[in-house]
Amino acid sequence: MKFKILLTILLMYSCAVHAQQSDRKTVSKERLPEVPVAVKDEVKPSANERTIRVESSVVTSHSVNIGGKSVPYKATTGTLPVWDEEGKAIAGLFYTYYERSDVSNRDQRPLVISFNGGPGSASVWMHIAYTGPVVLKIDDEGYPVQPYGYKENPYSILDVADIVYIDPVNTGYSRAVNKDIPKDKFFGVRADIKYLAEWINTFVTRNNRWASPKFLIGESYGTTRVSGLALELQNSQWMYLNGVVLVSPTELGIERGGPVEAALRLPYFAATAWYHKVLPQDLQSKDLTTMLPEVETFTINELIPAISQGGMLSADKKKLIASKMARYSGLSEKVIMDYNLNVPTDFFWKELMRDKGFTVGRLDSRYRGIDKMSAGEGPDYNAELTSWLHSFTPAINMYIRNELNYKTDLKYNMFGSVYPWDNSGNNTGDNLRQAMAQNPYLHLLVQSGYYDGACDYFNAKYSMWQLDAAGKLQDRMSWEGYRSGHMMYLRKDDLKTANAHIREFIKKALPKAGEAAKF
């Protein structure tokens, strides 16, 4: 009897060992490491199910030709946990980390931490169309071509900096560990900043990058995110940055309601009207950047005061202002008068080319759309976004699986559900100002497309003016404009120029040897 019991125990032990060995073989084959016990029960190991490990990694080696020189690099694709206050994993964030592999001293190698926006958007956009080692197969203006795919990026900043692209919860492959995790842990201005700062700490520690100069880059809502992170990383993680890059920035919580908000749209209207060749000949014959300063001056000196007067503005003065707005915007004087000088952007996108049967794009007004009816107050859809999704969605799914060898049946969320989103407590513009005030090393670069109607270039300038109302940070702030829209890098000429501007910014923001951080 004792022998039978002993035999049974030995068989059970043998089966357990065999199962563990079998698991290790599967993990090895998929190149995904064992997960910690704390999260093992929460994530299934199989890459052929619609779940993903809270912790995983796949490493591949590559090279890219940048500026005529071959740059070897290692790509690590995987997930790292988001920890709660008790040290329990509540989510796994998907990331792709590129390291130049011929660098001997990583301590002096800049690290760029990259986010896109939404909120609820994956970091796919800048990853495979802007700063990374591959870009989309598209035409020179950014329009989709078939067959879809990706190609080498000769303008990537990987020659001067390592880059990590991060997908927040519910975007890309990032997910909470289960549906019971409270959404307010992730989905709000302050919550988003808090948990991502904690995650960045984990990433930097795991990858031994504490000594490296660090930069944040965010696009669209990602600019709100990284502006807040600049201060959160300093105050809560004691991690100090060298630079922040804002690509197509939001309003950053900076107040601009009423007359200011209404007036600041006009320079964007003028740029779009110039692109579609509907301005008066004397304006149309000028170059874009020669024409726009005239509109900007009118906006600040005449339009804001006029709208501020409301009903106190005389009829003659109102008519004069409306005629100038019509001259600069491509809209009729009557339409502008009907809106009391406050023309909504939705209406502008519908109205500008209504007589030609087109709408213009929200995020990039170079794109034209076709509506069911010419009548109406706004476009049926965003012409530019549907065009972009043509190119991006196939490419990212092909690239991650085929090139980076990360295999999962989980759906890659280009856009994920993050609502309701708590917008309260958005002081991110002032957070960035405070971070710059506390950290003499910290520099700022803002990049805007002239044809972006969602985060327009003149509002970006206004944010910079208000962010540094005292004028004490001007020597560490710069702005660049491009002849495209929200994703200015989709246009080939701007892809080259905008990456060059980031490369120059990184080099400028690195202190000289022995240069202390002091005012």
Side-chain angles (χ1 to χ4, degrees), residues 199-240:
W199 189 93
I200 290 170
N201 185 308
T202 300
F203 176 86
V204 167
T205 300
R206 293 279 191 97
N207 290 280
N208 196 26
R209 299 306 299 263
W210 276 98
S212 302
K214 298 171 193 66
F215 295 79
L216 296 178
I217 181 170
E219 179 183 272
S220 195
Y221 184 83
T223 62
T224 301
R225 176 176 287 136
V226 301
S227 295
L229 277 169
L231 187 63
E232 181 73 11
L233 286 170
Q234 285 183 192
N235 288 357
S236 298
Q237 307 299 327
W238 312 287
M239 185 182 297
Y240 288 74

Side-chain angles (χ1 to χ4, degrees), residues 5 31 34 42 53 60 96 108 119 124 132 152 173-174 199 202 220 222 251 259 263 267 313 335 355 399 448 465 483:
I5 293 172
R31 302 170 77 181
E34 284 291 322
E42 298 171 342
R53 285 176 174 265
T60 50
T96 304
Q108 297 178 16
V124 54
E152 190 173 84
Y173 293 138
S174 300
W199 189 93
T202 300
S220 195
E251 295 176 352
L313 189 67
V335 159
D355 61 340
Y399 178 63
S448 299
W465 300 335
R483 295 173 185 249

Side-chain angles (χ1 to χ4, degrees), residues 259-428:
V260 172
E261 182 180 12
L264 292 180
R265 302 175 192 135
L266 184 62
Y268 155 71
F269 288 174
T272 299
W274 181 90
Y275 178 82
H276 289 289
K277 297 180 171 55
V278 294
L279 292 180
Q281 183 55 38
D282 64 314
L283 293 176
Q284 197 67 57
S285 62
K286 295 180 180 180
D287 184 68
L288 175 66
T289 54
T290 303
M291 179 271 294
L292 284 176
E294 179 181 332
V295 186
E296 295 174 7
T297 299
F298 167 75
T299 299
I300 296 297
N301 294 340
E302 298 184 57
L303 185 55
I304 291 176
I307 298 177
S308 298
Q309 293 178 57
M312 292 293 292
L313 189 67
S314 70
D316 288 346
K317 182 66 173 177
K318 185 175 183 179
K319 186 174 182 2
L320 176 63
I321 293 294
S323 68
K324 289 187 177 182
M325 289 182 68
R327 169 176 161 78
Y328 293 138
S329 67
L331 303 178
S332 71
E333 184 178 324
K334 180 181 184 305
V335 159
I336 292 169
M337 289 287 284
D338 287 346
Y339 274 102
N340 290 324
L341 312 182
N342 184 0
V343 179
T345 48
D346 277 4
F347 181 79
F348 174 79
W349 299 323
K350 181 78 173 185
E351 177 70 12
L352 183 67
M353 301 190 73
R354 195 191 298 263
D355 61 340
K356 296 179 176 62
F358 295 110
T359 62
V360 298
R362 170 178 174 263
L363 295 164
D364 192 329
S365 296
R366 297 176 302 149
Y367 290 73
R368 299 187 298 186
I370 301 174
D371 279 0
K372 182 177 181 180
M373 298 184 296
S374 292
E377 297 296 305
D380 292 348
Y381 64 98
N382 294 331
E384 76 298 328
L385 187 56
T386 55
S387 174
W388 295 342
L389 288 169
H390 263 275
S391 308
F392 277 93
T393 312
I396 190 64
N397 282 279
M398 295 159 60
Y399 178 63
I400 291 174
R401 175 172 284 267
N402 301 337
E403 196 77 20
L404 302 181
N405 202 31
Y406 195 94
K407 294 177 169 57
T408 175
D409 284 344
L410 191 65
K411 181 170 69 174
Y412 187 91
N413 284 340
M414 304 293 284
F415 301 102
S417 175
V418 297
Y419 294 96
W421 185 270
D422 182 3
N423 280 307
S424 63
N426 183 358
N427 299 308
T428 52

Side-chain angles (χ1 to χ4, degrees), residues 141-160:
E141 292 298 311
Y143 291 87
V145 295
Q146 289 184 326
Y148 303 121
Y150 50 88
K151 59 186 179 181
E152 190 173 84
N153 182 6
Y155 312 116
S156 170
I157 61 169
L158 190 55
D159 58 331
V160 296

